[in-house]
Every structure is written in C-alpha cells, then in structure tokens.
Amino acid sequence: MNHVLVFVIAGLFVYTIIPTFVIRVLGIGVYKKGTAGRGIALTFDDGPDPEYTPRLLELLKENNLKATFFVLGSKAEHYPELIKRMHNEGHLVGVHNYVHWANAFMTPKKVRLQLEHSVNVIEKIIGERPVYYRPPWGIINIFDFLLLKRFRMILWSIMVGDWRSNGGKRKIKERLQAKLRDGAVIVLHDSGQTFGADKDAPIYMLEALREFIAEALSKNYAFLRVDEKMRLEEKNKRAQFSLFKRTLIFLWFKWDRLFHWLFSVKPLDENKPLFFYRAATFRGMTVSLSDGEKLVSGDRVIELHFNNEALFHLATGARSPVHLAVQMIRSVKENLPKVTEKILSTPEYSDIKAIYGITMIHRGASQLGFTLMTLPNGLFSIITRMYLKILLYIMHADGKNRLKSNPDALIPLVLAISANEMKSKYPVSQLSVEMERTIVPAGYLVETHATQ
C-alpha cells in the first residue's frame, strides 16, 4: 500500500505539480507580467455572465478601455451575443476551457477536446480563432506544454480574491491599489458561478473596478489588451537591444542574483524591489555626515543597492527621459521610508550607524540629506569605475555612445546618511517631499554594488 501511495504522489508531481510550479513560479512558457512601463492589462475570467458581463462592458466603454476576456466555451454557446459584443467593442477574446475544470484532473486528450470545442464555438461567433489561453486556476499538466505550439498561455501578476464577497468593494480596491505595478496583468472575474465563488461577488468587483480605473488613469496608467501589450513590448525590445546585448543583459541579471545570494543581499520590499540591502561593518576612513555624526571603521551600516533589473525595466518602459525621471522620483519616494521601517522593525539593527552605497545616480542626493564622497584612489576605485562603465554599456540602450558623450559625468560616488537623519527625514508614515525637487537624468541609470 505504501508503494502504491508513493507511486501516486510521484505521478502527481510529474503530471501536474512540477509543471504548474514551472509556469506559476518560474514563468517559463507563459506571459505573467510585461516589462515596466505604464501599460497594464485588465483580464477577466469565467464569463460571459448575462447579469454582470454587460455591466462590465458598459464600464469599459465609458472609460474607452480595452480588456481581455478568457471565456468558458460552454457559456459562449449560451450567450453568443455577449461574445460578439466583446469582439465588436474591441476587446480580445481568449479561452478558459470549455467548463471550469482544472487540467490536473483531466487527461491530455480531454484538455485538447475542451480547447478545440471552445475555439470552434468562439470562432463561429466572431470569425477569428482565439490563440490566447488561460488554464483555470493557473493549473496545468505536463502535456499542456505541447499546447504552446498553438496557444499563448497567459497568467497574471495581480490577483485580489474578487471571487469572494467578504470584505466587499473595499477589500478588492485596497488590494488592487497595493499590488499595482508597472507592466501588471490583472485577473478579475465577471461571473460568480464557478466552484468556490460567491454568486454576488462580481457586484463588488465592478464597484471597486470603477474607482480603481479612475485612480489608475489619473496616475497615467494605460490599459491595453494582452496582445497589444505583448506586441508593444516586443517591438520596444527589438528596437533597443540586439540579440548580443539581450544575452549580456540576461547573464548580468543572473550574476546579480548570484551576488545577492552569495552576500545575503535582500530586497527592501518584496513587492517593489527598487532597493536591495544588507547589514555590514563599515571599513574605511572616518566620514563626517551632514548632521554631525561621524562614521568610523567598525560601525555597523546598512548597504543600499539599486536593483539593476528594476532600473532596466524602468528605462525600457519609459516614453521619454522626463517620464523616466518621474518614475524614478516616484519609486525612490516610496522606498526611502521603508529603510526607516526596516531599521525600526528589526531588533538586530538597533546599532546601525548609517546607510550608504556607491552609485552614479547621485544628482540631488545632497538635498535629501546624503553626504557625497569620492572613492579613495586605489584598486577598489579602479575596479568600481570599470564595473559601472561595463554595466552602463550593457543596460543602456545607447550605452556605447553614452560612455563617449560625457565621460566626466560618469563618476561613482559614495552616498551616506546617518540612521538618525534617515529616521527624521523619512519617517515610516511620511513620504519625502525633497525628492519632488530632484530630477534624475536618465543617462545615469547605472549602479554598483557597495563595498564588500
């Protein structure tokens, strides 16, 4: 009996658990989130619903927004007029299986038959074969990777539990606001008829969505269909980076992750990882900080490291240098108080004397309370400068010319601020206002790891 149980568990791992882990966690073979930029995608599952889908379509029409619907083939058969309306009003219609069953509980043949039936139903209604597919609950079996020859599998980066009624509009809206990131793919549900859902849940989803749309538009977010979003991002990548450069970027990101693992460098905020950090012991000459504190060798400090991958996505997703500067300002403003929060919430950081790092993004830093210092001459300074120039060449779309255009400006500096001044200027409950006066030149998007 034990052998049978082991065999069954091993079979489940191979058939569905490992494949689902591969797409859900590693994102291999699927589209979950685009490159940074203000383009986000609204997607809706489990419909069409005769009560809620028309109301949703009206809301989207009022705001002139386009969305993506992953519909059930069985419901499409019952409500073809809603599928036709989605298509006629410019929305993308994708497939969400014929009925809402997880692929883990179906044979490969059954999954293919469900999809084929659904595709035929939708094609008959709108005259186009859908090629975008979202498996129910984001669960697949190992044979579903064969579907990638015919379909683009789409998952999500934001899910807010809108299929349940508890918490109402407030819960959904707060989660949407808290999780919203550039490039996000948001999944919502315009039907409450699937297993585990509350029938009236779409009422609260629609109420929250109305307010969320207004706020997102006021922040210059653009709502795109999934296919439009993917094409735009691919076009931008091709325009900016050659295959050779994309390979270098890929390898550099892998190196960054290895570095973080080797030196215990952690994200300051798991949801908005603009900064990484680690606690360390300061080794160097005595430094007088702007508030009169002195940083001496042996003091405990927090090293701040820019997330090069996040900076890269900000740069490639920006419409212009000014747009990029605005995004940088917003991101830094959101993150500086989190340094204070980390210090105050971590007992072993009670003896932290200062926060520091080495970077080329230093215009306006002195107005923020940071003391700026040049690197002492020596081997470390030479290596750091070389490192930064290589990084700029790799990450900047026009890195080669950027290095030639103004080489004197590409000087890394040490930035430091005392822990006391950080707590004073950037309390947890208040975002900084000084950064609003600071414009960070787009050409300076390059950073080095702090002193080892």
Side-chain angles (χ1 to χ4, degrees), residues 55-191:
R55 294 167 62 179
L56 171 59
L57 289 170
E58 282 300 316
L59 174 59
L60 295 172
K61 188 175 182 180
E62 288 172 15
N63 291 278
N64 194 29
L65 303 184
K66 300 297 181 279
T68 303
F69 289 82
F70 293 100
V71 303
L72 297 171
S74 58
K75 289 189 174 183
E77 283 183 323
H78 283 91
Y79 310 109
E81 71 284 355
L82 289 176
I83 302 296
K84 187 175 294 184
R85 179 178 173 184
M86 291 174 188
H87 178 71
N88 290 343
E89 293 184 2
H91 304 293
L92 177 64
V93 181
V95 183
H96 197 46
N97 279 9
Y98 184 72
V99 293
H100 205 277
W101 292 349
N103 293 8
F105 304 119
M106 293 189 288
T107 65
K109 181 178 179 181
K110 182 69 173 178
V111 174
R112 289 197 301 274
L113 289 175
Q114 279 225 18
L115 280 172
E116 192 64 30
H117 193 172
S118 300
V119 166
N120 290 337
V121 168
I122 295 169
E123 183 181 25
K124 186 176 180 180
I125 297 171
I126 67 175
E128 295 180 8
R129 288 183 73 80
V131 296
Y132 294 88
Y133 171 54
R134 174 175 287 160
W137 293 297
I139 297 174
I140 66 168
N141 65 61
I142 193 167
F143 294 96
D144 289 341
F145 286 113
L146 298 175
L147 299 174
L148 297 178
K149 296 179 180 179
R150 297 177 51 204
F151 296 94
R152 287 302 308 265
M153 200 175 293
I154 310 297
L155 294 186
W156 57 83
S157 61
I158 296 178
M159 177 183 283
V160 295
D162 64 304
W163 57 86
R164 302 305 301 269
S165 299
N166 61 311
K169 175 189 74 172
R170 178 187 56 79
K171 177 198 71 174
I172 297 170
K173 181 183 173 184
E174 287 179 354
R175 289 181 177 178
L176 283 171
Q177 291 173 326
K179 295 183 177 184
L180 181 60
R181 305 289 181 272
D182 291 352
V185 176
I186 302 169
V187 57
L188 297 168
H189 302 79
D190 56 326
S191 173

Side-chain angles (χ1 to χ4, degrees), residues 373-387:
M373 301 158 283
T374 57
L375 285 170
N377 293 329
L379 181 62
F380 179 74
S381 176
I382 294 172
I383 293 174
T384 299
R385 290 170 189 264
M386 290 175 58
Y387 173 93

Side-chain angles (χ1 to χ4, degrees), residues 290-302:
S290 60
D291 64 344
E293 287 273 13
K294 291 188 181 297
L295 180 62
V296 302
S297 183
D299 282 340
R300 288 256 293 165
V301 296
I302 283 181

Side-chain angles (χ1 to χ4, degrees), residues 21-54:
F21 175 85
V22 166
I23 66 167
R24 291 284 295 272
V25 178
L26 303 181
I28 296 175
V30 300
Y31 182 80
K32 296 174 56 178
K33 180 180 184 295
T35 52
R38 306 305 274 181
I40 58 177
L42 283 176
T43 69
F44 299 92
D45 291 0
D46 301 353
D49 183 277
E51 179 178 0
Y52 299 115
T53 303

Side-chain angles (χ1 to χ4, degrees), residues 410-426:
L410 302 178
I411 300 174
L413 296 179
V414 177
L415 276 66
I417 183 172
S418 73
N420 288 333
E421 187 161 10
M422 176 66 74
K423 296 172 189 176
S424 174
K425 293 182 74 70
Y426 306 105

Side-chain angles (χ1 to χ4, degrees), residues 254-314:
K254 294 298 182 185
W255 153 248
D256 269 352
R257 292 174 186 178
L258 176 62
F259 176 92
H260 294 159
W261 178 75
L262 287 173
F263 295 98
S264 300
V265 181
K266 297 172 287 189
L268 182 63
D269 184 336
E270 293 286 351
N271 296 319
K272 296 182 179 180
L274 180 69
F275 290 118
F276 286 85
Y277 77 98
R278 73 166 185 166
T281 301
F282 178 70
R283 301 297 180 193
M285 299 176 61
T286 299
V287 176
S288 296
L289 302 177
S290 60
D291 64 344
E293 287 273 13
K294 291 188 181 297
L295 180 62
V296 302
S297 183
D299 282 340
R300 288 256 293 165
V301 296
I302 283 181
E303 294 178 355
L304 275 187
H305 303 248
F306 268 118
N307 178 353
N308 290 322
E309 189 167 354
L311 291 179
F312 170 75
H313 289 315
L314 280 174

Side-chain angles (χ1 to χ4, degrees), residues 290 306 329 332 336 359-372 413-417 421 425-426 432-441 444:
S290 60
F306 268 118
I329 291 167
V332 173
L336 284 176
T359 180
M360 280 188 178
I361 307 178
H362 46 64
R363 290 283 183 90
S366 58
Q367 285 92 335
L368 300 177
F370 287 87
T371 299
L372 279 63
L413 296 179
V414 177
L415 276 66
I417 183 172
E421 187 161 10
K425 293 182 74 70
Y426 306 105
S432 65
V433 295
E434 289 90 344
M435 203 62 177
E436 293 177 359
R437 307 187 191 103
T438 307
I439 298 297
V440 183
Y444 286 0

